[in-house]
Amino acid sequence: MGLLSLSIWTPIVFGVLLLAFGRDNCARGVRWVALIGSLLGLAVTIPLITGFDTSSAQMQFVEKVLWIERFNIHYHLGLDGLSFWFVPLTAFITVIVVLASWESITERVNQYMGAFLVLSGLMIGVFAALDGLLFYVFFEATLIPMYLIIGIWGGPNKIYAAFKFFLYTLMGSLLTLVAIIYLYNVSGGSFDIQAWHKLPLGSLPQTLVFFAFFAAFAVKVPMFPVHTWLPDVHVEAPTGGSAVLAAIMLKLGAYGFLRFSLPIAPDASREWAWLMIALSLIAVVYVGMVALVQKDMKKLVAYSSVAHMGFVTLGFFIFNDLGVSGGIVQMIAHGFVSGAMFLCIGVLYDRVHSRDIAAYGGVVNTMPKFAAFALLFAMANCGLPATAGFVGEWMVILGAVKFNFWVGLLAATALIFGAAYTLWMYKRVYLGPVGNDHVKELQDINCREFLILAILAVAVLYMGLYPKPFTDVMDPSVAQLLQHVAQSKLP
């Protein structure tokens, strides 16, 4: 068993143990076991970080074992610069979510923690899978724990939100399964994703494959106009569920474009790039304007996520190194910033039990330490220089201007809208006189909450001030991908 297998199965084993043996009458022990499991899962990724060769575009830490001989299905794992950072990011966010849910979850604690640990391993499996069917199994399996997290521990309309989440994502993925089976037959009975990259597909097959993958990945990102499930799910999901959904699960769709759509159907990707760019710009501009009128904090940040992920897909389909690298950097940065934003909303919700902006006002007077952290994350969400939120957006805007000035100009409006809706929310919630008796009685964050927010603050500032370690890893793989896409594969 290699390092990647350990990264996948360590949290899953701990999660299954919690589901099997955990009980509510020993909730404290369950929480500690969950924390140990998540920390071990994170520790296993450290040798991946120290051992990764940043000068190579080849797959590293490869594991390949025959799984189902009859259909030539392999347990095939590996990482390159496109997928590498999402493995430690997933393990890191899992630790944060376990800590954040320490006191807020009091019922079925073992099932809640177990579901998150299993989900963590499955998501790492998606980023590491190099076998098409293995990827699909991991990709679909992530729906189950998230469906349960929303449906059991969510808000008043949790059942509706859970069904909407499950049906949207499952329906899109069925076409992807058809595409995977088609590629299996065309390649002579191989599920090897890297072998699929070399298939000389015709124009029509490439277009059909491209849109089959688009059906799943666009819903998962989510792109306009299939984004409507996300605000409902975020509003109803518990804080930990919202943090993981925004920080990691949305990235599964964007990663799918990099691993499948662009390299397998490069001509179709170039042909339909105008559509992807148009949908991305609509997400950036229109959804940013929709965020301005939201009264619910979670819904506002949910629409903000759609706008920020629009930057990611825009970067991928302008086909230059700044755009693609910027899109990947934006994915990582959004993982830190959006996770932090939802955890801040959770801190307030645990105390006041309301997500309405109107229910607050003057929080800085009673929670000064917390308000300082919230301001940092709000600024990062706006794309303030020296924060993680700035780096990816700036790279994508530069790449977009290089591609087409007007596309770059429209993309840059996101910085204006982002500042408008984020700072307006901050002003109404945190600044001014104390809004009501609930705010007057608020207690500032405790040591556990301070630790969580401080760790995220360090991550946001470190990535904003020194993004080189992140970009160095991805540069060779991005260059190889762009070279591959630029070379026509039409027979």
Side-chain angles (χ1 to χ4, degrees), residues 5 7 20 46 74 132 143 180 183 216 295 302 309 314 319 426 442 476:
S5 286
S7 301
I46 293 171
H74 288 79
L143 299 182
I180 287 172
L183 291 167
K295 298 177 181 178
M309 290 304 290
L314 173 64
F319 303 118
Y426 189 87
L442 286 175

Side-chain angles (χ1 to χ4, degrees), residues 16-35:
V16 170
L17 287 173
L18 285 177
L19 291 171
F21 301 109
R23 294 289 181 272
D24 272 356
N25 56 8
C26 55
R28 181 177 172 82
V30 164
R31 293 185 181 104
W32 279 105
V33 171
L35 180 60

